[in-house]
Amino acid sequence: MLTAERKALIQRVLQRDGRLIAKSFSQEIGISEDTIRRDLRELAAEGLLQRVHGGALPASSAEADFASRQAIGASAKSSLGRAAARLIARGQIVFLDGGTSNIQLARQIPLDLRATVITHSPSIAVELAGHPSIEVEMIGGRLFKHSIVTVGSTSAEAIARIQTDIFFMGVTGLHPEIGATTGDAEEASIKRLISRQAGETIVIATKEKLGAASPYQIVPMSEITTVITEGQDESGQLDQFKSAAVTVVEVDD
Amino acid sequence: MLTAERKALIQRVLQRDGRLIAKSFSQEIGISEDTIRRDLRELAAEGLLQRVHGGALPASSAEADFASRQAIGASAKSSLGRAAARLIARGQIVFLDGGTSNIQLARQIPLDLRATVITHSPSIAVELAGHPSIEVEMIGGRLFKHSIVTVGSTSAEAIARIQTDIFFMGVTGLHPEIGATTGDAEEASIKRLISRQAGETIVIATKEKLGAASPYQIVPMSEITTVITEGQDESGQLDQFKSAAVTVVEVDD
DNA sequence: CTTGACTCTGCACGATATTGCACGAAAATT
DNA sequence: AATTTTCGTGCAATATCGTGCAGAGTCAAG
């Protein structure tokens, strides 16, 4: 087995299980613990995971900081969410992905707007249960705890039967050449499917996600209709996205 | 279990419950008290929590305030949930209905119990996303906002394909002759279907629900295996249930 | 084809960390 | 004041870590 393969596998297991035990993992793939520990040390040095006694945890440790992630940059996310919510027209069928940006979006939907929201995020469903005029449809399936969205074949089948006007996609990275990416292969696959069923695919990206790339590609830039991001374009990155035939909406805080 | 995971878990429980008892927590996750106390000491040294005799409280005083408010009175409600959670055996497939009683139940599931929870309540799904060893399967469908559960034909189809060991049913009334009732016809129909797919049907009923009846019958008493309720039987109502070949679990506060 | 530099891997071993137990001290409860 | 519970520390057993080292494989220059 190649070193690079092994390292990729480590990251995948880490994304899937939210942790990795050095001893049991080494037995599982039939490699000595020493080698695994070496890999873990190197990946930790690159900041790709968090090394702990006994194994490793994801770099941005899983659900533990879901709440704190929500707190960080909340004001920026809520103004992005407000801008995104304005793109929903009366009567449309909208797919809302999981993630903190989309929860903000859900909170910003005008109270008199009548529309249908499809989601595979229980958090979004709970949030919208309090909205007076939005019809909510929940996609079932196995719960992927890290992102708190449903995945798997049950989800895929349900999604395949629904055509939507707009898909607000959550990503962990958005790169001009690589496109939209996320940290889990199965999640990427589900997002790809949703995108195919949608007329428009819109990505809300805070500035730290611009130019970043995670292991798994969801779709290339060509599949993305609109990017909603913060207005302070320091690095000129936005020009790269604009030239990719994508509408870029810049929002000031 | 990794040390870092354990510490993360401690902080999450602290955030959720507003407090942590060293002794009961150590039993819950099957680790010696010494280790837990050591963890608490270390986390306190980092300023991540406040160490107190018997356990720990959240670091910030604002949260501690919220915590004590929540702790008072919640203990009465959660004791029913705790009793219910004890009925779940390792490896079982359990259907958790919506409702506040079942959310309490979800919170009381021992942290080391491995089981699968099926639910049509997004709130339950979100709650269990934080549980380290429970597999969660979400039933999709149209969201019935009043109860925050999914209903409709999509839900019904998904439910019809699943056989479960136990169904913890939420009701608004439980009457010795009329049986279990609720306020919405469609919800009643979905609950009936779930009950048919389950080996046991268990109802958690606070005392104000006993003897009460809502417009729509879900199932007659003969379909209910167990009733979990509060221990203070003033009116002799429980005898009526006991004579209906139902196991009655009385819980003292 | 050979040689030498280089990398990767597994093993050995001393260093370090973690855990549970024992026991006396401190705190809470009666 | 007596009793029970909880705490903290020392200690020993165990698990995990990091490093040095040697053998195997790779690759390119000779």
Side-chain angles (χ1 to χ4, degrees):
Chain A
M1 170 174 276
L2 267 43
T3 307
E5 279 181 301
R6 213 173 43 232
K7 287 187 178 177
L9 186 60
I10 287 171
Q11 290 189 75
R12 235 189 77 209
V13 168
L14 217 44
Q15 286 289 348
R16 192 191 62 196
D17 302 345
R19 64 140 179 234
L20 186 145
I21 313 283
K23 183 171 186 165
S24 57
F25 181 75
S26 70
Q27 289 170 350
E28 218 171 303
I29 66 169
I31 299 283
S32 82
E33 277 181 62
D34 306 73
T35 303
I36 298 303
R37 272 203 290 271
R38 242 184 295 248
D39 290 342
L40 293 182
R41 238 176 298 166
E42 287 164 19
L43 289 168
E46 294 174 51
L48 294 163
L49 54 76
Q50 186 193 339
R51 186 78 170 91
V52 297
H53 200 92
L57 296 172
S60 58
S61 78
E63 324 97 27
D65 67 347
F66 189 80
S68 57
R69 270 199 314 233
Q70 198 153 355
I72 294 165
S75 69
K77 278 182 179 169
S78 75
S79 44
L80 289 178
R82 199 173 310 125
R86 273 199 288 269
L87 300 178
I88 306 173
R90 186 186 152 90
Q92 279 189 321
I93 314 284
V94 175
F95 200 111
L96 266 190
D97 202 350
T100 55
S101 295
N102 281 332
I103 286 181
Q104 289 296 334
L105 195 171
R107 290 199 181 131
Q108 306 284 347
I109 296 175
L111 291 175
D112 61 344
L113 179 65
R114 291 185 169 279
T116 300
V117 169
I118 325 268
T119 186
H120 63 148
S121 155
S123 318
I124 296 274
V126 170
E127 188 66 40
L128 287 174
H131 194 289
S133 58
I134 294 287
E135 182 79 7
V136 181
E137 174 89 18
M138 176 89 214
I139 302 292
R142 182 169 51 79
L143 191 69
F144 179 53
K145 291 183 175 181
H146 178 71
S147 310
I148 318 192
V149 294
T150 60
V151 297
S153 56
T154 312
S155 295
E157 278 175 37
I159 290 162
R161 281 197 291 266
I162 300 174
Q163 311 297 322
T164 60
D165 295 311
I166 312 177
F167 171 33
F168 288 97
M169 184 164 72
V171 303
T172 58
L174 192 66
H175 189 281
E177 283 157 29
I178 305 172
T181 52
T182 191
D184 181 77
E186 187 160 16
E187 214 187 338
S189 152
I190 287 282
K191 286 176 196 285
R192 194 178 308 124
L193 180 56
I194 302 166
S195 178
R196 270 211 295 273
Q197 304 292 109
E200 295 179 48
T201 297
I202 301 179
V203 175
I204 303 175
T206 50
K207 61 183 171 211
E208 70 269 15
K209 287 175 182 167
L210 291 182
S214 295
Y216 300 96
Q217 190 204 47
I218 306 165
V219 290
M221 282 307 297
S222 60
E223 299 288 316
I224 295 168
T225 322
T226 305
V227 173
I228 299 173
T229 189
E230 296 170 70
Q232 303 88 0
D233 183 20
E234 296 133 6
S235 51
Q237 274 186 322
L238 289 185
D239 296 336
Q240 294 182 267
F241 288 104
K242 284 173 187 164
S243 61
V246 170
T247 306
V248 177
V249 177
E250 296 176 52
V251 179
D252 297 318
D253 293 340
Chain B
M1 168 169 273
L2 266 41
T3 308
E5 276 185 303
R6 210 176 45 234
K7 288 188 178 176
L9 192 59
I10 286 172
Q11 291 187 75
R12 217 166 42 67
V13 167
L14 214 45
Q15 198 171 6
R16 190 189 66 189
D17 301 347
R19 66 178 169 154
L20 186 145
I21 313 291
K23 183 171 186 167
S24 57
F25 181 76
S26 70
Q27 288 169 349
E28 215 177 332
I29 66 170
I31 298 284
S32 82
E33 277 180 63
D34 304 74
T35 302
I36 298 303
R37 271 202 288 272
R38 241 185 295 248
D39 289 343
L40 293 181
R41 238 176 295 162
E42 286 165 19
L43 288 167
E46 294 173 52
L48 294 162
L49 54 77
Q50 187 192 339
R51 186 79 171 89
V52 295
H53 201 91
L57 294 172
S60 73
S61 57
E63 283 181 49
D65 217 37
F66 170 75
S68 54
R69 262 186 287 136
Q70 200 176 25
I72 295 164
S75 66
K77 289 177 197 167
S78 67
S79 52
L80 286 178
R82 197 173 313 127
R86 272 199 287 269
L87 300 178
I88 305 172
R90 185 186 153 90
Q92 279 189 321
I93 314 283
V94 176
F95 199 110
L96 267 191
D97 202 349
T100 52
S101 294
N102 280 333
I103 287 181
Q104 288 296 335
L105 195 171
R107 292 203 178 130
Q108 302 288 341
I109 296 175
L111 293 172
D112 62 344
L113 179 65
R114 292 189 168 277
T116 301
V117 169
I118 324 267
T119 186
H120 63 147
S121 156
S123 318
I124 296 277
V126 170
E127 188 65 41
L128 288 175
H131 193 291
S133 58
I134 293 286
E135 181 80 7
V136 181
E137 174 88 20
M138 175 90 214
I139 301 291
R142 181 168 51 80
L143 191 70
F144 178 52
K145 290 184 177 180
H146 180 255
S147 310
I148 319 190
V149 293
T150 60
V151 296
S153 56
T154 312
S155 296
E157 279 174 38
I159 290 163
R161 280 196 292 265
I162 301 174
Q163 311 297 322
T164 60
D165 294 313
I166 311 178
F167 171 34
F168 287 97
M169 185 164 70
V171 302
T172 59
L174 193 67
H175 189 281
E177 284 157 29
I178 306 173
T181 52
T182 191
D184 180 78
E186 187 159 15
E187 213 187 337
S189 156
I190 287 280
K191 286 176 196 286
R192 195 177 308 125
L193 180 55
I194 301 165
S195 178
R196 268 211 297 272
Q197 304 294 110
E200 294 180 48
T201 297
I202 301 178
V203 175
I204 303 175
T206 49
K207 62 183 170 208
E208 69 270 16
K209 287 176 183 168
L210 291 181
S214 294
Y216 301 95
Q217 190 203 48
I218 305 165
V219 291
M221 282 308 297
S222 59
E223 299 288 315
I224 295 169
T225 322
T226 305
V227 173
I228 298 173
T229 189
E230 297 169 70
Q232 303 88 3
D233 183 21
E234 296 134 5
S235 52
Q237 276 185 322
L238 289 185
D239 296 335
Q240 293 182 268
F241 289 103
K242 284 174 188 165
S243 60
V246 170
T247 306
V248 177
V249 177
E250 296 175 55
V251 179
D252 296 319
D253 291 340

